[in-house]
Amino acid sequence: MAQTIQQPMTFYSRWPKPLAVIADWLTTTDHKKIGIMYLVYSLLMAIVGGAMAGMIRTQLAVPDNTFLRPELYNEILTLHGTIMIFFVAMPALAGFGNYLVPILIGARDMAFPRLNAFSFWLLVPSGILMLASLFVEGGAAAAGWTSYTPLASKQYMATPGVDMWIFSLHLAGLSSILGAVNFIVTTLNMRAPGMRMMEMPLFVWAWFVTATLILVAIPVLSGALTMLLTDRLLGTNFFKISEGGDPLLWQHLFWFFGHPEVYIVILPSFGIISHVLAAFAHKRIFGYPGMVIAIAAIGIVGYLVWAHHMFTTGLSTLSLLLFSAFSMVIAIPTGVKVWSWLATVWGGTIRFTTPMKFALGFVALFILGGMGGIFLANVPLDLSLHDTYFVVGHFHYVFAGGTVVALLAATYFWFPKMTGRFLSEKLGTWVFWLFFLGVLLSFMVMHFLGILGMPRRVYTYRPEFTTLNQLVTAGYGLQLIAGLLLLFDILRTLLRKPARPLPPDPWGVNEVQKTLDWVTASPPPPYNFERTPTPDQWRHAPSAEVAR
Amino acid sequence: MLRQVRSLVPFLAGLGLLAGCRFADPEATTTWLFDPATPIAEAVRQNFWYTASLVAPFLILAEALLIYVIFRFRARPERKPASFHENVKLEIFWTLVPAVTLVMIAVPSFQLLRQITHVPADTELEVQVFGHQFFWRYEYPEYGITLSDEPLVLPANKKVALSFSSVDVIHSWWVPAFGFKQDANPGRVATRWVQVKPGYYKGQCAELCGALHGVMWIEVVALPEEAFRQWVLARKRGEAPSIEELRAMLPNPAIAHQEG
């Protein structure tokens, strides 16, 4: 099938092969190649961010450790958080989104292919700026990924590293905004003729809602960053108390972006999990309309909860009540998703492939992470748990146990589609158990540490916390081995020529799943489909709907 | 896979044991959950177990269903997958039950919140707490006493208003056994109240405030009425009793933090 569509002629078509290939990747506007570049970018950054986590866990392996200076420790924890969110989670999800959304809706490409390439390439200077800030005089930003003022102000953190951090996030934010516009227009305008919104696969719905979140939330971050930047460089007074500014303004603006950001990195993961669970349970998604409503509800209510990150700042009692109530409300649609996933696999014939293991592991860890959220939404408890390791454990269950596990499921699930080869199932089982147990251990113990009185973002701790901290570090070790095994497997698989081409549906799941990613070739040809997909290729037979 | 799941049981039991080890250490930080030292901490502790008792059934049910599904619905050649994919009644049920549970969590939580944020009118002393990079300063306007980078000394069993502010960046004053933390914001004053059992308590800054945030410790000694008056007098004479001397003034210094 791939051969029937001609590659267009380009200026480098007559160049020698390796040069032409490089020129092709550098100039491509093909959503699949851009998607793969996002994923490679994310993987490289995950190595950096993961190494930083390793430095943090090494420092905390014993109390009063001198492995990192206190200043450097704060720089590393700031960059670890920033990199994992902006340069690992978001690009990886954007990568799968870029690759899959046009295919899943039967389109030839994104709505704006060049804008798509621009979105990706913006991330390159952005990432370089972020990493380079570690090496400037004065060091990188060291006020945490939240960069609260006045700590992040010129007065208390004079280093140009903070300015580089701001510029870097400006570029990453612009990249996300342009990407979001692209996703929204693509989803609204590029669906194959006859595909209704309520027929779109859940991954497309999840990305659609995510894109609207990005479009509203990121500009607020960009505005706040600009205010911080002009405070630092031009002498404005947005956050300076002595001049009538207010540091709490920064917190409100930051979290107005920051909480939707949490859903930006978890909603597409929800979509991934829905696909994988249904595929290997050999069943249709349970309660599709409810799932769509839940995604939308999480997106909308997600805007009304930002101040639950600020319960200890001294908000009025009324604000505390309202933000607490809205935060608890989030648990309802989230619960709908969990129950629907359980009902999706219920009664199925489950094949325990590696992606399915990760998807089931996601549900297990996400339930734990979600339950911790109820405690934090409860203000009297949050006043004790806020800014402790309980919070660190909670959001790592949702980020590492949620988003990263979903990304691993997606990697194993769509790797054959993208490359025409399977990753090793045998190694995959190891990767799964090591990573799953590592996450379970590290972040469970963090919850205990928080309850027992250890605050977050500290470079040392009282001796009584030693054993528990060593358990966290041991859990990191398990995750590290899992990551290295995955990296090894990816490289090994890519370097080996596939024995024979894979069929369009290499997992044999499309009979029930009926999504267009399993209709086109593996890997798909340029422009994805030889003929525009027709409704019979994605629409479930009406008979299946009455069989209850 | 069954064996792998079973192996989690000793793993979790081990974690519990290790957490238990902490209680063997008499110098360990006392906490709101295990040794609450104020009425608020006691109420927060009760609210924690109440919340946990409402959350736990959902946690256990969801994880148990997941494990059941994994073993029960494994693909076998003779089995055909079910074809159901909706059940509106079931969906309404699992939307409403959590909603009702959340209301049950929220109502007592909101009542307790009022108790925490509302400083009673009959407080007998006010102490002003100021965050500095990287130590705490305590002012007793009534006595003209200033404690800089020293343990906070409070009268035990008396209602004390604490007002929090900062002279530089944002800090957060946190003594786990008191059942709350409060950010010390520059340019703002927030007031909370405590009524502490006699004893010695440890805490530390809970908001990243710069390089030495991790060692911005807090120590509090709550002295019985007579001992507290003695301390005020000593302080006014210019004496500065050390933490050991302060702890020696407690009714039972060895297990002081467990005293009621």
Side-chain angles (χ1 to χ4, degrees):
Chain A
M1 197 194 270
Q3 282 73 31
T4 57
I5 296 172
Q6 280 279 305
Q7 280 278 9
M9 279 296 282
T10 49
F11 68 93
Y12 52 79
S13 290
R14 293 201 179 78
W15 290 10
K17 182 107 197 275
L19 273 182
V21 169
I22 294 171
D24 177 41
W25 281 92
L26 288 179
T27 58
T28 187
T29 56
D30 178 348
H31 72 97
K32 296 185 290 299
K33 286 183 175 154
I34 292 170
I36 288 173
M37 288 196 291
Y38 265 114
L39 292 172
V40 171
Y41 180 94
S42 162
L43 193 62
L44 293 175
M45 282 299 200
I47 295 171
V48 179
M52 287 174 167
M55 293 167 80
I56 292 172
R57 287 323 312 172
T58 308
Q59 167 70 19
L60 295 181
V62 285
D64 302 318
N65 200 350
T66 50
F67 174 71
L68 296 174
R69 285 177 289 117
E71 294 85 358
L72 188 56
Y73 180 85
N74 288 350
E75 291 169 33
I76 296 294
L77 81 82
T78 301
L79 289 206
H80 165 75
T82 312
I83 286 174
M84 285 303 196
I85 289 165
F86 289 97
F87 300 118
V88 177
M90 289 180 78
L93 294 166
F96 283 113
N98 256 296
Y99 198 101
L100 293 168
V101 166
I103 293 179
L104 288 171
I105 61 173
R108 288 156 62 88
D109 204 316
M110 297 287 278
F112 308 112
R114 280 169 187 246
L115 191 68
N116 200 22
F118 183 56
S119 295
F120 169 73
W121 288 106
L122 275 176
L123 279 183
V124 175
S126 170
I128 291 173
L129 208 52
M130 184 61 69
L131 294 180
S133 73
L134 268 174
F135 303 100
V136 298
E137 202 182 330
W145 86 284
T146 52
S147 274
Y148 281 7
T149 60
L151 184 59
S153 67
K154 191 96 187 163
Q155 188 184 353
Y156 295 101
M157 212 167 274
T159 171
V162 182
D163 305 310
M164 294 169 78
W165 182 89
I166 293 171
F167 282 123
S168 169
L169 290 190
H170 262 316
L171 290 173
L174 185 57
S175 159
S176 297
I177 293 167
L178 296 177
V181 170
N182 220 338
F183 274 113
I184 291 171
V185 177
T186 303
T187 310
L188 290 179
N189 284 354
M190 307 280 285
R191 298 195 306 283
M195 186 184 280
R196 298 189 293 260
M197 291 285 276
M198 286 307 277
E199 286 178 342
M200 300 191 310
L202 282 177
F203 183 71
V204 180
W205 259 114
W207 243 111
F208 179 68
V209 174
T210 302
T212 60
L213 284 178
I214 291 176
L215 204 56
V216 177
I218 303 268
V220 177
L221 172 70
S222 300
L225 286 171
T226 306
M227 292 155 90
L228 182 60
L229 188 74
T230 57
D231 263 17
R232 288 178 56 86
L233 299 183
L234 303 178
T236 54
N237 317 316
F238 294 107
F239 308 122
K240 276 182 216 157
I241 310 134
S242 54
E243 313 289 334
D246 186 353
L248 282 191
L249 174 62
W250 166 264
Q251 293 186 29
H252 280 293
L253 291 173
F254 184 87
W255 288 116
F256 188 86
F257 141 79
H259 201 79
E261 173 69 23
V262 173
Y263 300 119
I264 288 168
V265 297
I266 201 66
L267 290 183
S269 314
F270 287 173
I272 291 168
I273 294 307
S274 294
H275 281 238
V276 178
L277 286 179
F280 294 111
H282 213 74
K283 278 185 63 196
R284 286 176 61 182
I285 275 291
F286 182 91
Y288 172 91
M291 289 294 240
V292 172
I293 293 167
I295 292 174
I298 294 171
I300 293 165
V301 185
Y303 281 121
L304 305 174
V305 299
W306 77 89
H308 73 207
H309 299 268
M310 302 167 59
F311 282 160
T312 63
T313 54
L315 297 171
S316 75
T317 308
L318 180 65
S319 315
L320 293 174
L321 292 181
L322 287 176
F323 282 108
S324 171
F326 281 125
S327 305
M328 289 187 186
V329 165
I330 294 267
I332 297 170
T334 315
V336 167
K337 299 218 62 103
V338 171
W339 303 125
S340 299
W341 284 326
L342 288 171
T344 298
V345 283
W346 191 273
T349 48
I350 302 174
R351 282 156 60 201
F352 291 95
T353 58
T354 306
M356 189 59 164
K357 285 180 189 135
F358 275 110
L360 293 167
F362 171 97
V363 178
L365 294 170
F366 187 77
I367 294 168
L368 282 174
M371 297 298 173
I374 308 276
F375 289 84
L376 293 171
N378 185 341
V379 185
L381 299 181
D382 185 73
L383 296 183
S384 281
L385 296 171
H386 178 71
D387 269 335
T388 72
Y389 261 90
F390 189 94
V391 174
V392 182
H394 165 69
F395 70 68
H396 278 91
Y397 261 155
V398 184
F399 275 134
T403 303
V404 176
V405 169
L407 286 168
L408 292 172
T411 304
Y412 277 92
F413 191 47
W414 280 296
F415 199 83
K417 174 58 57 183
M418 294 177 171
T419 66
R421 320 144 210 236
F422 277 99
L423 287 170
S424 156
E425 279 290 305
K426 202 171 162 195
L427 269 182
T429 304
W430 279 97
V431 174
F432 168 71
W433 280 107
L434 285 169
F435 196 77
F436 178 77
L437 291 177
V439 167
L440 190 63
L441 173 66
S442 286
F443 307 126
M444 173 79 74
V445 174
M446 282 186 179
H447 284 80
F448 296 160
L449 277 170
I451 288 174
L452 292 178
M454 180 163 162
R456 64 191 287 207
R457 291 171 167 172
V458 289
Y459 70 89
T460 186
Y461 47 83
R462 297 193 194 269
E464 72 221 42
F465 300 131
T466 309
T467 318
L468 290 177
N469 269 289
Q470 286 166 348
L471 280 174
V472 179
T473 302
Y476 171 80
L478 297 181
Q479 296 170 56
L480 176 68
I481 299 170
L484 293 176
L485 277 179
L486 173 67
L487 210 56
F488 165 75
D489 196 22
I490 289 177
L491 291 176
R492 187 182 68 160
T493 309
L494 287 179
L495 291 174
R496 227 171 20 198
K497 276 251 176 327
R500 53 177 180 281
L502 290 179
D505 180 15
W507 292 106
V509 295
N510 204 35
E511 191 195 334
V512 178
Q513 185 149 41
K514 296 213 89 172
T515 49
L516 294 172
D517 45 345
W518 309 120
V519 169
T520 180
S522 310
Y527 303 115
N528 304 338
F529 301 97
E530 219 171 338
R531 286 181 204 84
T532 307
T534 48
D536 59 296
Q537 288 175 300
W538 68 75
R539 202 162 283 165
H540 290 276
S543 61
E545 287 185 29
V546 261
R548 210 205 69 62
Chain B
M1 189 130 165
L2 180 62
R3 217 175 312 136
Q4 280 153 315
V5 172
R6 272 195 197 137
S7 69
L8 294 182
V9 175
F11 166 83
L12 291 175
L15 280 187
L17 264 180
L18 280 158
C21 285
R22 173 208 153 282
F23 299 103
D25 179 2
E27 284 294 307
T29 310
T30 50
T31 66
W32 53 278
L33 190 59
F34 298 112
D35 4 53
T38 64
I40 284 176
E42 177 56 39
V44 170
R45 181 179 80 121
Q46 284 169 13
N47 187 270
F48 178 88
W49 291 119
Y50 172 73
T51 306
S53 71
L54 288 176
V55 167
F58 289 90
L59 175 69
I60 293 165
L61 177 68
E63 300 283 11
L65 286 177
L66 182 65
I67 293 171
Y68 176 76
V69 159
I70 289 172
F71 291 113
R72 173 69 180 76
F73 298 112
R74 174 179 288 275
R76 287 195 197 83
E78 72 280 6
R79 279 196 53 237
K80 285 223 169 309
S83 61
F84 71 88
H85 58 87
E86 59 184 347
N87 183 338
V88 176
K89 278 183 197 156
L90 187 62
E91 291 181 69
I92 292 175
F93 177 73
W94 71 39
T95 307
L96 288 185
V97 172
V100 172
T101 312
L102 286 170
V103 172
M104 287 167 65
I105 292 176
V107 170
S109 155
F110 293 171
Q111 285 165 346
L112 174 55
L113 181 62
R114 291 203 72 84
Q115 190 190 337
I116 296 174
T117 55
H118 179 256
V119 182
D122 57 343
T123 53
E124 295 183 35
L125 177 69
E126 190 209 349
V127 181
Q128 297 167 347
V129 182
F130 296 94
H132 290 248
Q133 282 180 319
F134 298 93
F135 62 92
W136 298 95
R137 177 167 54 92
Y138 305 104
E139 303 267 357
Y140 298 68
E142 238 166 275
Y143 306 127
I145 295 176
T146 298
L147 304 175
S148 214
D149 205 6
E150 285 172 86
L152 170 65
V153 179
L154 292 177
N157 299 325
K158 294 254 174 359
K159 286 181 187 165
V160 179
L162 298 175
S163 66
F164 300 90
S165 192
S166 168
V167 300
D168 39 48
V169 301
I170 302 169
H171 303 272
S172 189
W173 195 85
W174 182 38
V175 175
F178 292 0
F180 73 96
K181 67 174 68 63
Q182 174 59 47
D183 289 2
N185 285 297
R188 279 169 192 264
V189 180
T191 310
R192 292 281 177 264
W193 67 282
V194 295
Q195 187 177 10
V196 191
K197 296 175 186 174
Y200 166 67
Y201 307 95
K202 291 194 280 198
Q204 69 187 99
C205 178
E207 179 67 64
L208 179 63
C209 58
L212 298 183
H213 161 61
V215 290
M216 189 166 160
W217 309 115
I218 297 169
E219 287 179 297
V220 180
V221 180
L223 296 176
E225 195 169 4
E226 179 53 32
F228 181 76
R229 216 173 37 221
Q230 303 255 321
W231 173 80
V232 171
L233 292 174
R235 196 77 208 185
K236 281 185 169 165
R237 288 196 299 272
E239 296 167 22
S242 69
I243 183 68
E244 289 75 24
E245 288 166 315
L246 286 170
R247 290 181 71 177
M249 294 160 82
L250 288 169
N252 186 349
I255 51 157
H257 62 275
Q258 291 163 357
E259 279 293 283

